[in-house]
Amino acid sequence: SNELFGVTAKIFDCPWNTSNVLLTLTLQAEDAVKSSGNNLVFLIDVSGSMQSQDKLPLLKTAFTYLTETLTSADTVSIVTYSGQESVVLEGCKGTYTDRILSAVNALGAGGSTNGQAGLQKAYEIAAKYYIQGGNNRIILASDGDLNVGISSPEQLKQFVSEKRDAGIYLTT
């Protein structure tokens, strides 16, 4: 009641090994609310530090799996940032898989990390394609700190909180 999710834990003797006990955890969240679609803005750090195989190349692979779950009710935009922000894909329907993957696969890494400019542009795009009753979300993919523009955790928290109150959420 009034919790994000509930947890029930039980400990009991292990039937096949009497010197051990078993722990069972049961999690329950509220039933999912049917969404009117997803307005997803991917904010991708393409600074020089994202070059290694476990960063930008891994993200490109993950996009392949993501596109398999998108529908015509979904909208995808991609904003990148390094020394400056760039809108790589804007307002693309989720069923345009080839267009989405082409934009992602063309990304390369280099430059500094101007996250503030990227955040501002991502929120602008998210607001432009806002879906009433939908999941309006910016997904930030980065390997570290913002070192140009807003860089303090307090300033960043305030900026993101104001946008959240407008119905646009940030996942990192």
Side-chain angles (χ1 to χ4, degrees):
S1 160
N2 297 324
E3 297 293 330
L4 185 59
F5 62 91
V7 179
T8 302
K10 294 181 182 177
I11 296 177
F12 54 93
D13 292 332
C14 178
W16 60 87
N17 185 345
T18 56
S19 62
N20 290 334
V21 294
L22 295 178
L23 167 67
T24 62
L25 291 175
T26 305
L27 303 173
Q28 176 67 48
E30 291 184 17
D31 291 337
V33 177
K34 181 138 174 77
S35 172
S36 298
N38 296 294
N39 170 26
L40 303 174
V41 179
F42 292 90
L43 177 57
I44 303 173
D45 177 354
V46 292
S47 64
S49 64
M50 292 291 287
Q51 289 181 16
S52 66
Q53 287 299 323
D54 63 340
K55 295 179 183 174
L56 189 57
L58 181 60
L59 180 69
K60 290 178 180 184
T61 301
F63 256 90
T64 303
Y65 300 113
L66 167 74
T67 58
E68 294 172 2
T69 66
L70 297 172
T71 70
S72 60
D74 301 323
T75 302
V76 175
S77 300
I78 300 172
V79 176
T80 61
Y81 68 93
S82 57
Q84 63 184 20
E85 85 285 353
S86 177
V87 178
V88 176
L89 184 69
E90 184 176 339
C92 182
K93 287 294 175 196
T95 50
Y96 294 167
T97 304
D98 291 342
R99 188 169 166 211
I100 296 167
L101 291 177
S102 177
V104 170
N105 289 326
L107 298 178
S112 62
T113 312
N114 188 354
Q116 176 180 349
L119 270 173
Q120 288 175 326
K121 182 56 76 173
Y123 276 109
E124 178 185 311
I125 299 294
K128 182 175 180 180
Y129 293 95
Y130 188 87
I131 298 173
Q132 189 67 36
N135 175 27
N136 296 281
R137 185 168 306 274
I138 296 169
I139 300 173
L140 171 62
S142 176
D143 66 345
D145 294 334
L146 306 180
N147 58 24
V148 178
I150 295 176
S151 57
S152 83
E154 294 79 24
Q155 288 176 314
L156 188 57
K157 183 177 178 181
Q158 180 181 351
F159 180 77
V160 171
S161 292
E162 290 170 4
K163 302 299 184 178
R164 181 188 60 227
D165 292 343
I168 299 172
Y169 298 89
L170 175 69
T171 299
T172 59

